[in-house]
């Protein structure tokens, strides 16, 4: 199972790097029933850190790093992720703590991950 988790994390890292120019530096993922729960550390680019130095900037970065990524997954579920897990991707819940550069993503699939 650790090989599947490693490959799953690589998919997440690549997708976010392609979307934002930087993927997470470290990812910790666990599978529970039909969910993959991932904690992502070290997500922000230097530019995003600078933008987030104001309250308005934090909102902008938070929106981009949560809503934008959810919309991306909804519009085009990653086929390689579904093939790896052996289940259809259903939904992504995601949030981020900008000050701590920590994100949590919960990937929901249509059946339990084995």
């Amino acid at each position: 199972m650790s090989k599947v988790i490693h490959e799953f994390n690589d998919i997440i890292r690549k997708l976010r790097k392609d979307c934002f120019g930087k993927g997470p530096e470290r990812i910790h993922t666990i599978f529970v029933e039909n969910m993959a729960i991932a904690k992502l550390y070290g997500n922000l680019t230097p530019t995003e850190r600078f933008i987030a130095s104001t309250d308005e900037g934090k909102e902008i970065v938070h929106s981009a790093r949560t809503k934008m990524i959810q919309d991306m997954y909804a519009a085009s579920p990653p086929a390689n992720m579904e093939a790896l897990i052996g289940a259809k991707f259903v939904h992504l819940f995601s949030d981020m703590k900008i000050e701590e550069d920590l994100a949590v993503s919960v990937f929901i699939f249509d059946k339990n991950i084995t």
Side-chain angles (χ1 to χ4, degrees), residues 4-5 8-9 12 28-40 81 85 89 91-93 104-109 111-113:
V4 174
I5 289 173
F8 187 86
N9 290 347
I12 294 172
H28 176 76
T29 300
I30 60 169
F31 297 142
V32 178
E33 298 176 359
N34 68 327
M35 299 175 287
I37 304 164
K39 292 187 286 187
L40 301 90
M81 183 181 283
I85 298 300
F89 171 80
H91 194 70
L92 170 67
F93 293 92
V104 175
S105 291
V106 180
F107 301 81
I108 308 292
F109 294 91
K111 60 184 182 181
N112 285 354
I113 300 166

Side-chain angles (χ1 to χ4, degrees), residues 57-78:
K58 282 180 191 163
E59 289 295 322
I60 292 167
V61 172
H62 183 268
S63 179
R65 285 287 182 159
T66 56
K67 177 83 171 102
M68 195 170 148
I69 199 76
Q70 289 172 356
D71 291 348
M72 185 180 83
Y73 276 84
S76 179

